[in-house]
Amino acid sequence: MITRRKFLTSAGALAGSAAVLQKLGSAQEVKTREPNKPRETTAAANRNKPLIERVDPKPTLPPGEPGKDYTPVITPNNISLPWKVIDGVKVYHLVAEEVDHEFAPGMRAKCWGFNGHVHGPTIEAVEGDRVRIYVTNNLPEATSVHWHGILLPNGMDGVGGLTQKNIQPGETFRYEFTLRQHGTHMYHSHSDEMTQMALGAMGLFVIHPRRPKTERPDRDFAFMLGEWRLDTGTSRPNPNEMTDFNIFTFNAKIFPATEPMVAKLGDRVRIRIASVAVMDHHPIHLHGYQFRVTETDGGQIPESAQQVETTVLIGVGQSRTFDFVADAPGDWPMHCHMTHHVMTQMGDKFPNTIGVQPGKLDEKIRASLLPGYMTMGTNGMGEMAEMHMKMPRNSLPMVGAPGPFNVIDMSGLLTLLKVREGITSYEDPGWYQHPQGTVATIAGADDLRRDGIEVRTAPSAPQPTHHHPG
Ligand SMILES: [Cu+2]
């Protein structure tokens, strides 16, 4: 066994660390590389194969076809970028431009995206495809597009000033490379990133494996996470905001504007989640299921190393993909577990009034200052979901959407997985109809008596009324 001291001082520290990690059972083999040898094609794959020259390979396979080579990905609230094949190369055209984007009915803003979409449409391709992507800049300032996580020649990496000239307004640049990997990747502006990404200039880049190691999913959903600062009454996200965001989005939409994921009972479901801006990591939790995290940014994880989770942390600049079988019918939320990320603007900077006894304050303010004034949030914020107050221009109530039972008092980074038996289309099937006796209801007096449950009500609480569930 190599001691820590020896490990730190050993002349062969690198080889030593590899041995230690292997002994510790590291999931990924750590291997020293001979100097002057080019890198392998991917970080983890092909480790037992001979090294391949680090040049952009010529494609050896025909362009992958949807249906035949892969199940097309679904990007809720967005589309896949159309492409055509010219002489064996998949050709795409991205147009960076200002987009009047609706986060949810009642809230619009001038954002920056691609091809009329915020975020840009999903680029979808297959491992081994050669892609040629034209980028037209219709923004008012220079841009460039970086292909995040994709192995390519340095000059195609899209970093303005470093690996290419910036694309000036009105110019069209051409990028071309062969995809030698699979996985959930991204593209984003890499010029004045702070501004351009805060305004939305990014998208997903999904590469399907040419030869998948597992069965293909029946439903394959892809999401990009986003966060924005949009002050009430304004219509332009503020790129100067550094920490205090007030809109959190799946594919640039706020619940309930997020299109649900619909699956048939028994479908194999894949969910890909990626984040490339701005400042927060998001622990995304799916209710009702355990799932296997099957891919990182580096592609498929060997089955023995896949973790079973119910929440997966998506760091800024990362993607995670997870798979499960839709074996539990219902309406299941998928949301960020940072509690401030399932709200909208109104939760931000709101004074803490919980437990406050407004007394005659409301009456006095109504009489002298603001007719209709009401101190809010004294019993918690949930009640605000049901209020119908006059809202400031271009803002949404803090939370909420009508649900089948009550108002749902979450918003922001929330969407729904709707699993149904016997559906013949993947249109939104509406709310789940629960089988009788499977919904939590108010406890009946008989139940309480039988089980010896004594209910002590808080002195201020209204007297309980016992209902017999029907
Ligand atoms: Cu979050």
Side-chain angles (χ1 to χ4, degrees), residues 7 9-17:
F7 166 79
T9 55
S10 159
L14 191 55
S17 68

Side-chain angles (χ1 to χ4, degrees), residues 61-66 68-70 83 85 90 125-129 210:
L61 294 161
E65 288 178 39
K68 179 169 162 275
D69 295 301
Y70 63 95
W83 46 268
V85 176
K90 279 187 182 168
V126 180
E127 198 173 359
D129 282 350
R210 180 69 67 160

Side-chain angles (χ1 to χ4, degrees), residues 248 280-284 336-338 341 413:
F248 301 88
D280 291 294
H281 299 349
H282 300 283
I284 303 295
C336 181
H337 228 286
M338 300 262 200
H341 295 177
L413 258 176

Side-chain angles (χ1 to χ4, degrees), residues 363-436:
E363 267 171 54
K364 282 184 187 159
I365 292 178
R366 274 199 285 269
S368 57
L369 290 169
L370 294 166
Y373 172 84
M374 193 176 150
T375 302
M376 298 189 303
T378 53
N379 296 324
M381 302 285 183
E383 63 186 25
M384 288 164 66
E386 304 198 42
M387 286 198 173
H388 302 287
M389 292 175 38
K390 187 140 174 43
M391 303 295 301
R393 193 177 73 82
N394 206 30
S395 67
L396 296 174
M398 172 182 159
V399 285
F405 294 97
N406 300 126
V407 166
I408 300 164
D409 52 11
M410 288 192 293
S411 185
L413 258 176
L414 165 67
T415 188
L416 298 177
L417 168 70
K418 296 189 170 192
V419 178
R420 296 290 186 277
E421 192 169 8
I423 45 172
T424 50
S425 96
Y426 287 118
E427 295 296 302
D428 185 346
W431 300 117
Y432 181 57
Q433 304 295 314
H434 301 82
Q436 213 181 352

Side-chain angles (χ1 to χ4, degrees), residues 174-246:
R174 191 192 65 156
Y175 295 87
E176 185 166 332
F177 40 90
T178 299
L179 302 174
R180 62 182 88 169
Q181 66 192 116
H182 61 264
T184 306
H185 307 288
M186 294 169 265
Y187 63 92
H188 63 83
S189 151
H190 221 302
S191 300
D192 189 11
E193 295 102 278
M194 185 192 84
T195 305
Q196 298 188 11
M197 291 171 74
L199 292 174
M202 51 206 184
L204 291 158
F205 197 140
V206 172
I207 308 171
H208 297 277
R210 180 69 67 160
R211 280 176 287 275
K213 292 193 182 79
T214 53
E215 275 185 285
R216 269 195 228 162
D218 301 298
R219 304 288 281 158
D220 188 340
F221 300 100
F223 295 94
M224 173 159 271
L225 306 179
E227 52 189 30
W228 318 72
R229 178 79 205 185
L230 183 65
D231 289 305
T232 53
T234 69
S235 57
R236 179 81 70 178
N238 181 1
N240 299 322
E241 181 56 59
M242 202 193 261
T243 54
D244 200 2
F245 300 94
N246 61 0

Side-chain angles (χ1 to χ4, degrees), residues 146-152 157 181 184-186 207 297-298 317:
H146 164 60
W147 318 100
H148 183 103
I150 293 180
L151 306 173
L152 36 60
D157 198 39
Q181 66 192 116
T184 306
H185 307 288
M186 294 169 265
I207 308 171
D297 306 70

